[in-house]
């Protein structure tokens, strides 16, 4: 059965039935607006992302379940980058009327698997027919104890720059797909189902360990530049410190030009954060507790956003942003 036969209201009802319950939700799916509660000392964090078929994903590269998981994870990552706890999610979906119910249900399974993994409640959204591509808009609301969120502008000269996980895996996978080559499985997994570093973000913020933080969605350099410009700092990165997975390290060894994908490729959904040196040991201890890798990749000095890197040959060279800009690059996959 396709969506035209099934109908909008039955689809919304199906989503409502599967969305579960949460004590903080006074009214969820089924009314004109969601009614939610927050604790008295909490602030609300809100973030939204748009995923467009042909721009952000293609069904010959992803399965609907992974797509559902990723649509949620990339939003949770924004709440993680503020140091918040993701709580409520809104899912707006436009698909062609001929779309079969089955991929929609599988997509929804992915959405709900990812929300359940983080204790997030699906509380609303919007549904409509698309004349062409799928359009998915996800909004997430999170909570943070007032005064504890971490923005982009708090880094100070002398802070070290740290990053979670490994860089470039997703971009290397995408480069393979774009060249009609099968990406190595661990890289493809990072591209299709990124993991939001929610507990790390919470731990860094809750314990006052990070002075500035951002999630890497547009590429290390593009996102670093946001921190630098907001904080009034320059950065010096150490190439030999960049954390690469074994597979990525081998690929970059064979194709040195692919280092650009590590620096600028994007969709890592790792956290990039500045840390005052006395706090580095506590950050490392937190990461060990969470079974996550964190790495010092450079340091900050007073400035206005300049980036340089000490190359493996010892030379220090300027770096320029090569991250993704939707209006400056070809906007199809
Ligand atoms: P309205 O006409 O007031 O926009 P809708 O019929 O679009 O109402 O939505 C009815 C309810 O279903 C609302 O609570 C809305 O948030 C929810 N809803 C609609 N589409 C979705 C969706 N794709 N996912 C989750 N909830 C949805
Ligand atoms: Mg509506």
């Amino acid at each position: 059965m396709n969506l035209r036969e099934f109908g909008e209201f039955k689809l919304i009802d199906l989503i409502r039935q599967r969305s579960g319950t949460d004590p903080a939700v006074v009214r969820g799916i089924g009314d004109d607006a969601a009614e939610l509660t927050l604790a008295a000392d909490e602030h609300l964090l809100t973030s939204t992302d748009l995923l467009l078929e042909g721009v952000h994903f293609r069904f010959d590269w992803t399965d609907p379940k992974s797509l559902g998981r990723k649509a949620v994870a990339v939003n949770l990552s924004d709440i993680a980058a503020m140091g918040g706890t993701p709580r409520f999610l809104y899912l707006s979906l436009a698909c062609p009327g001929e779309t079969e119910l089955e991929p929609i249900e599988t997509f929804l399974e992915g959405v709900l698997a990812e929300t359940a993994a983080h204790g997030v409640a699906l509380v609303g959204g919007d549904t409509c027919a698309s004349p062409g591509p799928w359009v998915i808009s996800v909004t997430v609301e999170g909570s943070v104890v007032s005064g504890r969120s971490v923005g982009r502008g708090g880094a100070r000269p002398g802070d070290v720059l740290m990053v979670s996980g490994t860089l470039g895996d997703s971009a290397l996978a995408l480069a393979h797909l774009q060249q009609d080559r099968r990406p190595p499985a661990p890289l493809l997994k990072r591209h299709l189902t990124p993991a939001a570093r929610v507990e790390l973000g919470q731990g860094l913020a809750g314990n006052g360990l990070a002075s500035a933080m951002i999630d890497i969605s547009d590429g290390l350099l593009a996102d670093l530049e946001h921190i630098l410009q907001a904080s009034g700092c320059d950065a010096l990165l150490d190439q030999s410190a960049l954390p690469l997975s074994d597979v990525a390290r081998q690929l970059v060894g064979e194709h040195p030009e692919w280092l650009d994908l590590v620096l600028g490729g994007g969709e890592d959904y790792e956290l990039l954060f500045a840390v005052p040196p006395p706090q580095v040991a506590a950050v490392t201890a937190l990461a060990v507790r969470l079974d996550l890798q964190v790495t010092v990749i450079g340091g900050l000095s007073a400035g206005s956003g300049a980036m340089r890197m000490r190359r493996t040959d010892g030379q220090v060279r300027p770096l320029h942003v090569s991250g993704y800009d939707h209006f400056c690059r070809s906007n199809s996959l």
Side-chain angles (χ1 to χ4, degrees):
M1 186 178 309
N2 67 29
L3 285 182
R4 202 189 315 281
E5 293 153 353
F6 193 64
E8 175 190 342
F9 297 107
K10 276 174 85 176
L11 176 62
I12 294 176
D13 203 46
L14 181 149
I15 296 173
R16 185 187 56 75
Q17 284 170 25
R18 297 190 185 168
S19 65
T21 57
D22 184 298
V25 178
V26 182
R27 299 173 197 272
I29 297 174
D31 223 304
D32 292 310
E35 182 178 349
L36 312 162
T37 58
L38 283 182
D41 64 338
E42 286 175 343
H43 284 182
L44 184 68
L45 300 167
T46 310
S47 177
T48 195
D49 271 305
L50 199 55
L51 287 167
L52 211 57
E53 183 182 357
V55 175
H56 299 94
F57 65 91
R58 282 171 48 165
F59 280 115
D60 49 349
W61 293 348
T62 186
D63 59 286
K65 182 162 184 186
S66 298
L67 178 64
R69 290 186 56 189
K70 183 169 179 174
V72 174
V74 303
N75 268 260
L76 301 188
S77 180
D78 283 316
I79 299 293
M82 302 298 291
T85 304
R87 304 285 299 279
F88 312 113
L89 193 101
Y90 302 80
L91 171 67
S92 295
L93 191 59
C95 325
E98 309 80 62
T99 310
E100 288 297 313
L101 200 52
E102 198 225 285
I104 303 276
E105 290 191 272
T106 320
F107 168 77
L108 192 62
E109 235 176 77
V111 166
L112 293 173
E114 197 70 19
T115 52
H118 292 277
V120 171
L122 177 60
V123 296
D126 203 12
T127 306
C128 87
S130 166
W134 280 43
V135 181
I136 303 162
S137 167
V138 177
T139 299
V140 63
E141 292 173 334
S143 59
V144 68
V145 172
S146 54
R148 282 292 182 189
S149 66
V150 181
R152 299 174 176 186
R156 293 292 165 258
D159 287 356
V160 300
L161 203 56
M162 299 185 76
V163 71
S164 64
T166 56
L167 298 170
D169 298 317
S170 175
L172 287 164
L174 179 61
H176 279 73
L177 292 170
Q178 286 170 329
Q179 294 166 18
D180 284 325
R181 291 190 297 149
R182 184 199 293 269
L187 302 190
L188 186 61
K189 182 162 178 272
R190 297 274 331 257
H191 180 64
L192 295 182
T193 52
R197 305 302 187 192
V198 174
E199 281 102 357
L200 180 63
Q202 285 171 331
L204 292 170
N207 298 301
L209 299 177
S211 54
M213 183 152 62
I214 194 167
D215 67 317
I216 304 180
S217 52
D218 296 334
L220 172 68
L221 298 187
D223 289 313
L224 172 58
E225 190 173 54
H226 292 314
I227 287 187
L228 298 178
Q229 287 177 345
S231 299
C233 289
D234 288 349
L236 175 62
L237 301 183
D238 179 3
Q239 184 182 350
S240 60
L242 294 176
L244 268 60
S245 64
D246 292 341
V247 182
R249 190 168 299 285
Q250 191 188 334
L251 287 173
V252 173
E254 289 162 12
H255 308 271
E257 71 279 10
W258 286 355
L259 179 64
D260 284 350
L261 293 174
V262 172
L263 296 171
E267 292 213 288
D268 296 299
Y269 298 107
E270 296 295 348
L271 294 179
L272 173 68
F273 48 99
V275 179
Q279 315 265 44
V280 172
V283 173
T284 308
L286 170 68
V288 168
R289 221 166 40 244
L290 298 174
D291 199 20
L292 282 178
Q293 181 181 342
V294 291
T295 310
V296 174
I297 60 168
L300 302 181
S301 56
S304 54
M307 298 181 285
R308 293 176 304 149
M309 183 163 74
R310 188 181 309 283
R311 304 244 161 201
T312 45
D313 62 10
Q315 292 207 29
V316 173
R317 294 270 174 76
L319 287 169
H320 298 289
V321 171
S322 56
Y324 193 84
D325 180 320
H326 278 279
F327 289 107
C328 297
R329 290 235 188 135
S330 143
N331 64 350
S332 57
L333 289 171

